[in-house]
Amino acid sequence: MTERLYLLNYAGGGRVTPFIMNCAVILLLISRCFTWSSALYTPERAASKKLKYLLEPPVSADVTGQRGDNVTLPCILRTKPSHYKVKWTKIEPEKVGPENIIMISNAHAFKPYGHLGQRAFLGKAHAMDASLHLGRLELEDEGTYRCELVNGIEDESVTITLRIEGVVFPYQSKDGRYRFNYQEAKEACAAQDGTLATYSQLYRAWTEGLDWCNAGWLHDGTVHYPIIHPRPVCGGELPSGIRSYGPKDKNNDRFDAFCFTSQTSGSVFYIAGAFSFEQAGHTCKNQGAEMALVGQLYAAWHFHNFDQCDAGWLKDGSVRFPISNPRERCGGIPEAGVRSFGFPDKNTHVYGVYCYR
């Protein structure tokens, strides 16, 4: 995507001198399909079979789902068989091997399993409550969970889809377009305080207007890109939508990445100056902070409307600035977003720095 931008020139006494240049603009559109994360319930049974022991949940319900939050995934018993267990699992269709068990309980005790089990406990609001309380949400916790009542004769279950509120952003290697295999894309997102986005997260971002012409890896190993405005260089006359390359060779095929991040526990702030990359790092350190990661800058923009019309270094060597209130002298683009100037020479003494503390 080529857009018209104003570069911020800090030479000459800090005066901002605009000049027009063509550069890649990473315009992050938020995956804000819901203000709150939504828990969607699907009873797992044949259409003709009515739940006997589990209470069929309401049509819709909401849970808080930002990173670091505590959430409750509801599961209520209608009646209790004489002998039973309740088993909570996270459903991972792409995973090969044993199911991801979180918790198994009976009427007297419960036993946690795995990484999720360490942050989970069963609700005991009343005698029929089998809800799962999940603490300190992480980015990877988004997904589908199953509450299963097991009595050996008439097992039944309901599934709950937990969605975490956050932002999707395209990410490209400093070496240029289409340089990541799957593992490298996964590591690149993690290095920027994110994780590879799921298809659902990318889809929600697209419904809010994310238009990006470079294909990127998703969490399940498929490759896609979202298009709002069809154009010849982005699939020709195909209608708008999520363009898919399908599953690709994780070791040999190379693309960009679509990353997902959420709320952070710290804050991002800008320090003006004309720093080299190395000087920018020392400047943050002198403030008891470190250079901000790309995901941290996007989270500050998304959750706190961070707006700063000054380009600054980030820890990955890129130069960006967040705009919540678009205006002519701050990129000249009508949409809010995080603008990028790519990866300039690290010896360039032009930009300020974004720090995280």
Side-chain angles (χ1 to χ4, degrees):
M1 180 192 305
T2 301
E3 301 287 354
R4 187 174 293 237
L5 280 184
Y6 287 93
L7 180 63
L8 305 178
N9 183 1
Y10 295 98
R15 184 172 60 88
V16 178
T17 304
F19 67 91
I20 296 173
M21 65 177 293
N22 289 324
C23 64
V25 179
I26 295 186
L27 176 59
L28 166 69
L29 290 248
I30 56 176
S31 58
R32 194 180 286 168
C33 193
F34 303 100
T35 301
W36 298 99
S37 302
S38 59
L40 305 178
Y41 305 88
T42 306
E44 276 198 340
R45 65 192 190 282
S48 59
K49 182 181 178 182
K50 191 172 182 65
L51 290 174
K52 179 178 179 181
Y53 298 111
L54 294 175
L55 182 66
E56 186 170 342
V59 174
S60 63
D62 294 325
V63 296
T64 302
Q66 294 178 10
R67 175 169 49 186
D69 286 345
N70 302 322
V71 299
T72 299
L73 307 181
C75 183
I76 307 299
L77 277 63
R78 183 194 304 270
T79 184
K80 294 182 179 180
S82 56
H83 301 284
Y84 73 95
K85 293 180 180 179
V86 172
K87 180 171 70 172
W88 275 97
T89 56
K90 185 179 182 186
I91 301 171
E92 299 174 321
E94 69 276 8
K95 181 181 177 182
V96 177
E99 62 183 349
N100 187 359
I101 299 175
I102 304 168
M103 188 82 64
I104 296 179
S105 73
N106 56 28
H108 308 291
F110 64 86
K111 182 178 180 180
Y113 293 83
H115 177 66
L116 283 168
Q118 297 173 14
R119 296 183 283 117
F121 64 94
L122 284 185
K124 293 294 182 182
H126 50 80
M128 311 301 280
D129 185 15
S131 301
L132 185 74
H133 296 275
L134 190 59
R136 305 185 307 279
L137 278 182
E138 299 177 0
L139 297 177
E140 295 81 2
D141 292 344
E142 175 158 317
T144 303
Y145 295 76
R146 177 188 291 121
C147 175
E148 182 177 7
L149 185 141
V150 181
N151 71 352
I153 301 174
E154 297 178 289
D155 299 349
E156 59 188 36
S157 63
V158 293
T159 58
I160 303 166
T161 301
L162 171 66
R163 294 192 175 104
I164 295 178
E165 184 184 358
V167 291
V168 172
F169 60 95
Y171 191 75
Q172 196 172 86
S173 167
K174 62 182 176 57
D175 297 320
R177 181 174 180 257
Y178 292 175
R179 298 301 179 94
F180 298 136
N181 64 22
Y182 175 80
Q183 185 61 32
E184 290 166 345
K186 187 175 181 180
E187 292 171 357
C189 288
Q192 300 309 317
D193 193 43
T195 185
L196 278 174
T198 65
Y199 182 85
S200 294
Q201 290 164 346
L202 182 65
Y203 179 81
R204 292 200 298 270
W206 171 75
T207 64
E208 292 296 324
L210 178 57
D211 184 303
W212 195 251
C213 197
N214 291 343
W217 290 103
L218 296 184
H219 183 268
D220 62 358
T222 58
V223 173
H224 306 266
Y225 64 100
I227 293 296
I228 296 292
H229 305 291
R231 47 209 185 270
V233 296
C234 302
E237 300 303 319
L238 293 173
S240 61
I242 305 291
R243 309 284 169 79
S244 176
Y245 289 1
K248 305 299 290 186
D249 187 321
K250 291 184 177 181
N251 295 319
N252 298 315
D253 288 330
R254 295 186 175 272
F255 297 93
D256 293 340
F258 285 106
C259 305
F260 174 81
T261 194
S262 185
Q263 179 68 283
T264 66
S265 58
S267 60
V268 175
F269 59 96
Y270 175 77
I271 299 177
F275 307 122
S276 68
F277 177 78
E278 183 178 0
Q279 290 171 337
H282 292 311
T283 300
C284 289
K285 189 175 181 179
N286 291 338
Q287 297 295 319
E290 58 185 1
M291 296 176 76
L293 303 174
V294 176
Q296 291 166 343
L297 183 63
Y298 280 109
W301 170 77
H302 172 64
F303 290 104
H304 304 292
N305 295 317
F306 190 24
D307 184 284
Q308 184 75 43
C309 189
D310 299 282
W313 292 104
L314 296 181
K315 193 172 184 178
D316 68 338
S318 65
V319 171
R320 307 171 194 254
F321 63 99
I323 294 297
S324 295
N325 178 29
R327 51 230 188 248
E328 182 62 28
R329 294 180 64 85
C330 296
I333 300 173
E335 296 87 2
V338 174
R339 321 292 194 224
S340 173
F341 288 98
F343 296 84
D345 185 330
K346 290 185 176 181
N347 293 315
T348 302
H349 290 257
V350 174
Y351 309 109
V353 61
Y354 287 96
C355 306
Y356 177 80
R357 181 174 56 204

